[in-house]
Amino acid sequence: MTGEKLKQYIGLFGGLLSAILLFLQSLGYTFTWFTDEIIDAFVNALLATVPFVLVIYGVWKNSYIVTKQAREQEQHLIEKGLK
């Protein structure tokens, strides 16, 4: 999945929340905590958090200091002259 696709999914989710808000408002329900500003803030938080989590996961998976198996793999690569 590319970064652009991820942004599209997050935008789709924000649009869904906006549609729910409009539907509830048309029925006469109002929530002080569920507004367009809150939805925009939530979408912006997702746009910042999701890439951050993906980067942290990538660093975790590509690090040789985290687990014993990774340290053994690094040692094996050094012995083979690949690192």
Side-chain angles (χ1 to χ4, degrees):
M1 177 182 305
T2 64
E4 188 60 36
K5 275 291 185 212
L6 187 58
K7 287 180 184 178
Q8 290 176 5
Y9 282 119
I10 292 171
L12 179 68
F13 184 69
L16 178 65
L17 288 178
S18 295
I20 290 170
L21 175 65
L22 290 174
F23 177 73
L24 291 175
Q25 286 176 345
S26 71
L27 294 176
Y29 295 105
T30 57
F31 301 102
T32 57
W33 53 269
F34 190 48
T35 63
D36 287 329
E37 292 81 22
I38 295 297
I39 292 171
D40 290 339
F42 183 69
V43 168
N44 288 335
L46 279 178
L47 285 172
T49 303
V50 171
F52 178 74
V53 169
L54 292 175
V55 167
I56 293 298
Y57 177 74
V59 169
W60 174 269
K61 289 299 284 182
N62 292 313
S63 176
Y64 289 109
I65 61 172
V66 179
T67 63
K68 181 181 178 187
Q69 181 183 5
R71 289 189 298 270
E72 290 171 357
Q73 182 181 8
E74 179 184 31
Q75 186 62 35
H76 183 71
L77 290 173
I78 291 171
E79 290 170 1
K80 295 266 186 184
L82 299 173
K83 183 175 178 194

